[in-house]
Amino acid sequence: MAEENPDSQGTENAPDPQGTADPQGTANTEPTAGTANTAGTDRPRRRRIGRRTSALIGVLTMLVGFAVVVQVRQTQTDELSSMRQDDLVRLLDEVTQRNEDLTAERSQLRLDRSNLQSGSDQGRYLRNYATLQGILAGTVPVEGQGVTVRVDDPDHGVAAQDMVHMLEELRNSGAEAISVSGVRIVASSYFLDAGGELLADGQIISPPYLWSAIGNPDTIAGALEIPGGALAGFRNAGAAVQMTTSELIRIDAVRTVSPPEYATPVTEE
């Protein structure tokens, strides 16, 4: 009689420790409990992460927008806060003087209107009005107290924008008549950069640029010398600036007024 092998019998009866085969010898392909739970929770987890990312991006966008607004407001405030007390006092005086001039001009215009409506001294008023319009339109030579500004620009660093800034400062300070390098400045005047040249009302002007302005010399000079003003802009562009106040400045440059092409007076009924 053959002896039984105890080792062989123990192997045949031992259960599969890995759970990979059934008693028929077929492989067990069903996923374990741990694998099923992982697959079921992966998609909700990705959704939560996506929502958190979107919320974080929204919060960051709001913070950036808030920072930009604060920076802009701070910059606007710093323009005055960085000025010296003397400059602030001078700026306040200029604004006050300008307000008084406008108030006086309004009163005079109301008086002129009343005179026209009543018919008193109409001839003298019309002559004065024609003279005033000629000055504003640049059709007559003028003279009076004011300032002259010489801008030496050997490197041609001054641009049209710098000239516009100068013109705005002169007008804001109450200049009644302005010319630059022989060009009479009027309401329709403009400056333009063109191929390395600087144009004033279509005419080429070359350095040194010579500005003449008739008006209150102290008011005009104070406005031009404000830190960050027109003269500072010229200096930042590499130009040398020399300003002189005078009791008598003559502007001989005049303009020819062209008849309007599209505008016509309205006939009163």
Side-chain angles (χ1 to χ4, degrees):
M1 175 182 293
E3 295 181 358
E4 293 182 357
N5 188 349
D7 295 337
S8 175
Q9 183 177 3
T11 302
E12 291 177 356
N13 296 330
D16 185 3
Q18 300 298 328
T20 58
D22 58 11
Q24 302 297 328
T26 304
N28 184 5
T29 58
E30 294 182 359
T32 63
T35 303
N37 292 337
T38 302
T41 58
D42 186 52
R43 185 175 293 107
R45 184 182 297 112
R46 286 199 299 268
R47 292 198 189 99
R48 289 195 298 271
I49 294 175
R51 286 194 293 267
R52 291 174 183 174
T53 303
S54 300
L56 180 60
I57 292 175
V59 171
L60 291 177
T61 303
M62 294 175 60
L63 291 176
V64 171
F66 176 76
V68 170
V69 172
V70 171
Q71 181 65 30
V72 170
R73 292 182 177 177
Q74 183 67 28
T75 302
Q76 294 175 346
T77 303
D78 288 344
E79 291 181 1
L80 294 178
S81 63
S82 61
M83 295 176 63
R84 297 178 303 176
Q85 183 176 0
D86 294 342
D87 296 329
L88 290 173
V89 172
R90 183 171 56 183
L91 180 60
L92 178 60
D93 291 341
E94 291 170 0
V95 172
T96 303
Q97 181 63 40
R98 182 59 176 165
N99 184 59
E100 293 176 353
D101 293 342
L102 291 174
T103 301
E105 182 179 356
R106 182 187 62 181
S107 301
Q108 183 62 43
L109 289 174
R110 288 178 174 176
L111 178 61
D112 293 340
R113 184 185 62 179
S114 299
N115 291 335
L116 282 177
Q117 291 174 345
S118 63
S120 62
D121 205 8
Q122 186 173 2
R124 181 181 63 84
Y125 173 79
L126 292 177
R127 287 192 297 271
N128 292 339
Y129 184 78
T131 301
L132 174 61
Q133 294 305 310
I135 294 174
L136 296 178
T139 59
V140 296
V142 290
E143 63 180 16
Q145 61 178 349
V147 302
T148 58
V149 178
R150 177 188 174 99
V151 182
D152 290 292
D153 183 30
D155 298 330
H156 295 271
V158 174
Q161 182 60 42
D162 300 314
M163 304 294 276
V164 171
H165 190 188
M166 176 70 169
L167 177 57
E168 290 175 345
E169 292 285 1
L170 290 174
R171 286 174 171 169
N172 291 338
S173 59
E176 298 172 353
I178 306 170
S179 70
V180 54
S181 298
V183 178
R184 184 71 172 269
I185 301 299
V186 294
S188 60
S189 292
Y190 66 92
F191 293 93
L192 181 65
D193 295 313
E197 300 287 350
L198 188 58
L199 303 182
D201 290 345
Q203 301 183 40
I204 297 177
I205 56 176
S206 301
Y209 307 113
L210 302 176
W211 288 83
S212 297
I214 294 179
N216 188 314
D218 296 332
T219 301
I220 295 176
L224 297 181
E225 285 289 6
I226 287 179
L231 300 190
F234 286 143
R235 297 186 181 103
N236 292 337
V241 182
Q242 181 180 2
M243 180 173 59
T244 305
T245 61
S246 177
E247 290 299 320
L248 181 60
I249 294 176
R250 182 176 176 87
I251 299 179
D252 294 319
V254 296
R255 300 290 290 267
T256 301
V257 178
S258 301
E261 183 177 358
Y262 303 102
T264 57
V266 176
T267 303
E268 296 184 0
E269 298 179 357

